[in-house]
Amino acid sequence: MSFIPGHPVTAVVQRIEIHKLRDGDNLILGFSIGGGIDQDPGQNPFSEDKTDKGIYVTRVSKGGPAEVAGLRMGDKIMQVNGWDMTMVTHDQARKKLTKKNEDVVRLLVTRKSLETVVRQSMMQH
Amino acid sequence: MFCRNQTARATIARGSALEMEIRRGKFRQSVFMESPQDSDIQKKIDYEIRMREGACKLLAACSQRDQALEASKSLLTCNARIMAYMSELQRMKEAQVMQRVARRSSDAGPMDDRSPCKAKVAISDLRIPLMWKDTEYFKNKGELHRCAVFCLLQLGGEIFDTDMVMVDRTLTDICFDNKIVFNEASPGFELRVELYSCCSEEDYSAGNTPRKLASKLSTSLGRSSGKKMRGTLEPGACSPTSNGGGAAILLPVPSVPGPKYHLLAHTTLNLSHVQDSFRTHDLTISGNEECSFWLPLYGGVCCRLAAQPRCMTQQMMSGCLRVKLGGEPQGWTNVYGVLKGTNLFCYHQKEDMEANVEPVLTIGINKETRIRAAEKDPHSKAQNICISNQYGGEEVTHTLAADSREDTQLWMEAFWQQFYDMSQWRQCCDDLMKIELPSPRKPAIVTPKQGALYHEMVIDTSDDIGTVTDILARRIEEFELRAQLGSPPHWMSLFDEDPPRSPHNHQHLPPHSPSPCHRTPGLLSSNASLTSDSDSPVSVSPCFRQAWSPDTSSSSGRFRPRTLSLDAKLSTLRGRGYGGFRCNCQPPTAGSGSPRPTQTALFCSSSTSSSSSSEGSNSQESDLGFSRPSGARRSLRNLRAKLDPRNWLQSQV
């Protein structure tokens, strides 16, 4: 995935559907996010491009709904339930993920390995 | 009826020629030779000049900023003292000249006049509140604007300076601990309090800059900084003293490089401000925001100004008396009377008084007392003295008699003087005000005065809040360093392998998890440190903010001092420590399938549920069993976390 500011992003994405786990009054997903347009992108350990202000998955709880659904640490979240996550603030991203009336979130995530896999498979042909 | 001779008494200005005339006795020799007072003052002036030379040399020689500030302060004090002595000298010379003129014309008759007794005036616990605006916080983010301030106190011919205090954004009040006592004050005294400040920024110590370079720098810098530079390079501390007549010594004022103090505020206190408790007085502020030495003063100064007139502390009169005690109409008892303060103590004998035995009789002498000389007693040679007091509606009269007429006259005179003093010193004579003698200077262990909470912290150096902030920060760093002795951040290992294989890694991680957990308080403290209250003691939520700095070793230089109340800092410090200890006690249950921790105990602040952070993450995670904190708290935390651009926030969802 190449990230050039001002240009549309093309990326190989994976669709991940996470069913929130109800814990009393809370709905938890079981992962943590970092990043946002209001954050300092240089501190993001997962991004390839250190100017990338996207939302990244920084931690996935073991056995949690996110892990079960296939989310991995280091993934960049592109969309949540149709909402764009590439140009949002940290808090906006968090809010989109934690809506109380939604039991399921459908994410579009991308990671480096996806692109490698696709490229490899394309080369084979 | 005791009557003060109003017509005969005129108000005479202190230090005026006429007053000198009255004290003719002392000054008679001065016509022919230099009076002892003159030579006293001359000696003092010489001493101060020597001190000033020393201060100038020190200022030129010292390299440390603190030393330079101290030397500059002593220089200013010496200059002020020299000026005061010189003006006093001039006044005395003038008086002598006037006196000679007056004697020749002989128009001043003998004055039967009283002068009030002197008093000890003490000022202590000076506190000047500051009023920092929000803009101060967000302006120079990098450096801290610091000023060195001190107070100069002048009463009559005595000038004292307080210790120097460094002031910056973290201080809410400027406190001076010095107790200053002036010994010879008259009722019309004027105590002038002046606050001097000097900007203390490293860039502007132009001590060693050669002039040409300095002027080049000052012109090539920006407008405001150039102005500041030029200000510090201006020569001359104070205006040269020039006396009109008399013994004028025109002192060349040396122009010294180095920090220069400017008058920031001043006020004048007098008898009406004297009280046994703390009072706030208004300050007149000079300077404006553009000055380098500017500090946002609230506009008042709080202090305790007490006065002890001599009539309250010393025996004004003592001698043998005869008192008519109740019961025997004709019987006289011999007593030894002592007039002191608001009482006339009558002891059996003089030795009793020295032995501190209780007096036989105590007669109150205050503003309400009436004293009169009674008609001549046919038996005795002298008049009786009747002292009447009102004790709750009843009038009680004591009759005293002295041994001879002269004694009676002396006693009456003493009473008159006492009344006069009391009328002059007004509220100071109601009760004796305590004045503590200033203790000899020693490096004392001072605890900050701001409340009981702060007494828990042992601060072994100065009492500045800035130092306290530093101490807290150092403690946090030490904690971090200790915590970092463990393994490198675990996520580094994950970069070597593909993410899908992370379950494999988990088996390695449990042994690591204690140390990341141990590290977590430290990491959390890293750059959020003293500023963000993301670990406020009570709030925990699934979604609380965390700060993550992968480069924790450089965090020491990162924290930005902010004006936070000290107890907020202390509670975060405690909470952090508490959280850290807590997490050590919990065995990581990395293998548990449940994402939720088994512990549901409430942790103080940085709660670390190690079980759920099975990946040994280096960030903290709260107990998932908690409800979200109140919106207000969260929004405040959000705001603080957002405002600090150095954080790279992570949120748990």
Side-chain angles (χ1 to χ4, degrees), chain A residues 23 26 29-35 39-40 43-46 58-60 62 72-73 90-91 94 98, chain B residues 491 494-495 499 506 545 548 596 614-615 617 619 621 624 626 634 645-653:
Chain A
D23 174 40
N26 302 318
L29 290 152
F31 67 99
S32 293
I33 54 164
Q39 302 295 309
D40 178 11
Q43 299 188 38
N44 186 342
F46 301 109
T58 58
R59 197 165 50 83
V60 179
K62 181 153 165 57
R72 298 292 170 252
M73 194 163 79
H90 186 91
D91 206 40
R94 187 187 53 81
T98 54
Chain B
W491 47 260
L494 287 171
F495 272 69
H506 290 178
R545 300 277 175 257
W548 179 8
R596 274 180 282 158
S614 53
E615 296 196 6
S617 71
S619 49
E621 182 178 303
L624 299 180
F626 292 104
R634 194 144 48 96
R646 278 185 275 252
N647 288 339
W648 195 68
L649 294 178
Q650 297 173 62
S651 303
Q652 190 176 340
V653 295

Side-chain angles (χ1 to χ4, degrees), chain B residues 19-300:
Chain B
E19 193 196 6
M20 297 300 178
E21 179 70 11
I22 289 160
R23 299 181 189 205
R24 219 175 297 157
K26 275 194 200 165
F27 281 76
R28 218 163 263 163
Q29 312 99 284
S30 67
V31 176
F32 305 109
M33 62 182 166
E34 202 180 59
S35 75
Q37 275 83 359
D38 274 5
S39 56
D40 263 349
I41 298 217
Q42 197 57 48
K43 275 196 213 123
K44 284 187 199 165
I45 293 180
D46 291 336
Y47 175 74
E48 289 299 325
I49 291 178
R50 279 203 305 276
M51 291 286 288
R52 185 167 75 173
E53 283 169 8
C56 289
K57 285 197 193 117
L58 184 61
L59 199 56
C62 65
S63 52
Q64 297 275 357
R65 185 80 194 170
D66 293 339
Q67 285 176 0
L69 287 167
E70 285 285 348
S72 182
K73 172 168 85 93
S74 357
L75 184 65
L76 201 146
T77 314
C78 287
N79 280 333
R81 286 193 180 129
I82 290 174
M83 280 184 67
Y85 292 145
M86 304 218 23
S87 47
E88 191 169 325
L89 192 63
Q90 188 186 0
R91 249 182 296 135
M92 289 174 67
K93 298 273 185 204
E94 262 176 21
Q96 285 174 23
V97 169
M98 287 293 291
Q99 177 195 325
R100 271 180 245 147
V101 168
R103 286 178 95 228
R104 266 184 256 129
S105 66
S106 71
D107 59 356
M111 293 271 181
D112 177 45
D113 194 79
R114 296 179 196 291
S115 46
C117 62
K118 300 279 183 190
K120 249 205 283 195
V121 172
I123 182 166
S124 61
D125 303 294
L126 278 151
R127 183 172 64 89
I128 299 172
L130 295 167
M131 184 178 63
W132 298 101
K133 297 195 288 246
D134 277 348
T135 51
E136 287 286 332
Y137 296 142
F138 300 120
K139 225 183 350 182
N140 15 340
K141 273 183 184 169
E143 78 278 13
L144 196 56
H145 177 66
R146 301 188 94 186
C147 277
V149 300
F150 74 97
C151 262
L152 200 68
L153 299 138
Q154 178 171 10
L155 194 155
E158 298 176 86
I159 296 182
F160 292 101
D161 60 342
T162 61
D163 293 333
M164 187 183 71
V165 172
M166 295 297 290
V167 177
D168 56 34
R169 273 205 302 276
T170 58
L171 228 58
T172 55
D173 300 79
I174 310 176
C175 294
F176 296 107
D177 284 330
N178 305 82
K179 297 182 180 43
I180 307 227
V181 177
F182 299 95
N183 282 309
E184 298 292 320
S186 62
F189 73 86
E190 285 204 350
L191 174 58
R192 193 170 153 89
V193 180
E194 289 172 347
L195 182 69
Y196 287 92
S197 89
C198 170
C199 171
S200 160
E201 256 148 12
E202 303 312 320
D203 318 312
Y204 304 126
S205 63
N208 296 323
T209 326
R211 259 225 93 82
K212 236 184 174 179
L213 178 61
S215 57
K216 241 193 211 170
L217 279 174
S218 66
T219 49
S220 64
L221 289 171
R223 192 168 141 267
S224 55
S225 39
K227 218 192 290 180
K228 285 182 199 172
M229 275 289 274
R230 258 173 269 129
T232 56
L233 293 176
E234 254 164 58
C238 64
S239 54
T241 56
S242 54
N243 290 339
I249 308 162
L250 200 63
L251 299 164
V253 177
S255 67
V256 279
K260 197 172 128 194
Y261 283 95
H262 303 266
L263 180 65
L264 181 60
H266 67 95
T267 184
T268 308
L269 304 172
N270 51 36
L271 183 60
S272 55
H273 298 118
V274 173
Q275 204 175 315
D276 205 3
S277 55
F278 293 96
R279 271 183 70 174
T280 310
H281 312 277
D282 288 325
L283 273 176
T284 317
I285 303 177
S286 41
N288 52 33
E289 280 195 15
E290 297 301 314
C291 308
S292 64
F293 56 89
W294 170 257
L295 281 174
L297 301 176
Y298 192 73

Side-chain angles (χ1 to χ4, degrees), chain B residues 578-599:
Chain B
Y578 183 65
F581 288 130
R582 268 288 198 150
C583 95
N584 281 339
C585 306
Q586 291 170 30
T589 58
S592 73
S594 149
R596 274 180 282 158
T598 50
Q599 310 273 53

Side-chain angles (χ1 to χ4, degrees), chain B residues 358-583:
Chain B
E358 285 291 314
V360 167
L361 179 64
T362 304
I363 305 174
I365 310 277
N366 51 42
K367 295 183 204 133
E368 317 296 319
T369 311
R370 297 183 201 287
I371 301 187
R372 58 184 172 86
E375 298 79 32
K376 265 207 173 63
D377 201 351
H379 300 282
S380 70
K381 302 166 225 147
Q383 294 168 305
N384 289 346
I385 303 170
C386 296
I387 303 177
S388 307
N389 273 314
Q390 290 272 5
Y391 289 119
E394 271 190 36
E395 189 167 318
V396 181
T397 305
H398 295 275
T399 313
L400 303 154
D403 289 332
S404 65
R405 192 172 302 174
E406 293 78 20
D407 282 351
T408 313
Q409 194 56 37
L410 283 173
W411 275 101
M412 290 305 285
E413 173 72 27
F415 289 133
W416 287 339
Q417 180 68 36
Q418 189 76 351
F419 282 128
Y420 180 69
D421 288 341
M422 288 203 271
S423 73
Q424 290 291 297
W425 283 107
R426 292 182 261 158
Q427 73 269 26
C428 306
C429 292
D430 292 339
D431 250 324
L432 186 64
M433 296 188 192
K434 279 205 187 300
I435 290 182
E436 279 172 22
L437 290 170
S439 58
R441 285 179 174 223
K442 55 183 179 209
I445 296 174
V446 178
T447 51
K449 296 186 269 214
Q450 282 97 342
L453 179 63
Y454 307 134
H455 287 289
E456 297 176 39
M457 288 188 62
V458 175
I459 296 164
D460 46 18
T461 49
S462 75
D463 51 351
D464 200 355
I465 280 277
T467 314
V468 172
T469 317
D470 293 339
I471 289 175
L472 275 172
R474 257 187 278 130
R475 280 197 198 168
I476 291 163
E477 283 164 26
E478 286 172 66
F479 198 69
E480 276 176 62
L481 285 169
R482 256 183 277 133
Q484 278 169 28
L485 292 175
S487 58
H490 77 289
W491 47 260
M492 293 292 266
S493 58
L494 287 171
F495 272 69
D496 305 331
E497 296 144 44
D498 286 336
R501 282 171 46 199
S502 49
H504 168 65
N505 286 337
H506 290 178
Q507 290 151 25
H508 294 299
L509 293 172
H512 285 307
S513 48
S515 56
C517 272
H518 188 63
R519 197 189 313 144
T520 50
L523 274 182
L524 187 74
S525 73
S526 60
N527 43 18
S529 74
L530 304 171
T531 65
S532 108
D533 58 349
S534 58
D535 20 63
S536 58
V538 192
S539 64
V540 280
S541 92
C543 296
F544 78 54
R545 300 277 175 257
Q546 300 147 351
W548 179 8
S549 160
D551 187 15
T552 50
S553 56
S554 68
S555 64
S556 52
R558 281 181 176 234
F559 75 85
R560 176 162 47 102
R562 283 237 206 143
T563 307
L564 256 194
S565 67
L566 201 52
D567 54 355
K569 286 184 198 161
L570 278 178
S571 48
T572 51
L573 182 67
R574 263 200 231 115
R576 235 174 258 135
Y578 183 65
F581 288 130
R582 268 288 198 150
C583 95

